[in-house]
Amino acid sequence: MILRLLPLAAALLAASAPVMAADTVLNLYTARHYQTDEALYKNFERATGIRINRIEGQEDQLLERIRNEGANSPADVFITVDASRLAKADEMGIFAPIRSKLLEERIPANLRTADWYSYSTRARVIVYNKALAKLEDLQTYEDLAKPALKGKVCIRSGSHPYNLSLGAAMIAHNGEAATEAWAKGLVANLARQPKGGDIDQLKAVAAGECAVAVSNTYYLARLMRSDKPDERKAAESLSIVWPNQKTWGTHINISGGGMLKHAPHKQAAVRFLEYLASDEAQIYFADGNNEWPAVPTVKARNPALEALGGFKADNLQVGQLAKTVVQAQKIFDWAGFR
Ligand code: FE
């Protein structure tokens, strides 16, 4: 009797398996690699019993990999930095929209799209050397293109996503013609050809090679918290301006991610994306790179960011940047901002 029942029980079990089985694995493709992310993943694994397989790489390489893997991609979630990169990923059609009441409640509307969510923010600020520039000459991004700063400005390449996102925001606020004129004015004000990353611009201002630079806030925080005395000293010599406080606010960018269209573990993907918006995860995620949590009720406990103080952020919809970023690239090319 038992022997005859067994196959039936097994068959029932098999039939119900796809419905009953919870995902036990999550394949995460991430362009982030910070130490605090380790703690975040471990906590998720402990809380859910879902094991995270992590594939780390450069943003563009991961995106290329997802594209090449197509429908066979094992990737469940993709995380990267910069709104324009996420927008590009979105345009490639790699994401699947998810409906999550929790995410809609936790992540502000301007920091999410139908397909992906922001989990932390960083601001793009103006930094200057007090001995070489006057505060009243650099209150706005627009000021960077004015004759008062001729030969004084250092900035990384115009083709870098951070500057393209800034350009996209400027197009959204000021229009294409004004942004083109701005880019030309900026190029005319450069102290040197764009080279290096934001940290290199900060060091150049500290060294007096340029009077003014543009940088993401976490690079400043990194210098402030550096264990190298010369880097802390460089940070101390820099003054920061929150641009456009009287107009549209300081441009912010994000780290974020979403669930992939071909995700084999969609349940786990949603649980992970929701976990990233939890109080605990928000603090780890933001702190890993000296950023601000995207969830407004979560406060960063970061001494360097606290020292920078508060500011009015641009509340432009992050998805909106995607619509003007291609135009920003064209405009920067025409203007010779490369
Ligand atoms: Fe960066």
Side-chain angles (χ1 to χ4, degrees), residues 212-232:
V212 182
V214 178
S215 171
N216 284 353
T217 37
Y218 59 85
Y219 291 116
L220 261 172
R222 216 178 273 174
L223 287 185
M224 290 162 82
R225 299 178 83 175
S226 173
D227 46 21
K228 293 181 191 139
D230 59 318
E231 292 196 336
R232 284 199 307 275

Side-chain angles (χ1 to χ4, degrees), residues 16 46 65 90 142 147 199 252 254 270 302:
S16 62
R46 213 175 296 138
R65 181 165 169 169
D90 204 6
E142 289 84 346
I199 288 265
I252 57 165
I254 52 96
V270 173
N302 183 318

Side-chain angles (χ1 to χ4, degrees), residues 34 81 122 156 160 162 216 218-219 222 289:
Y34 303 117
V81 298
R122 68 277 294 278
R156 76 191 306 166
H160 192 275
Y162 301 160
N216 284 353
Y218 59 85
Y219 291 116
R222 216 178 273 174
N289 189 30

Side-chain angles (χ1 to χ4, degrees), residues 59 65 67 148 170 172 193 263 273 276 308 318 338:
E59 295 88 347
R65 181 165 169 169
R67 201 211 317 247
M170 293 192 76
Q193 276 300 101
L273 290 169
L276 287 181
L308 293 182
V318 280
R338 297 198 176 92

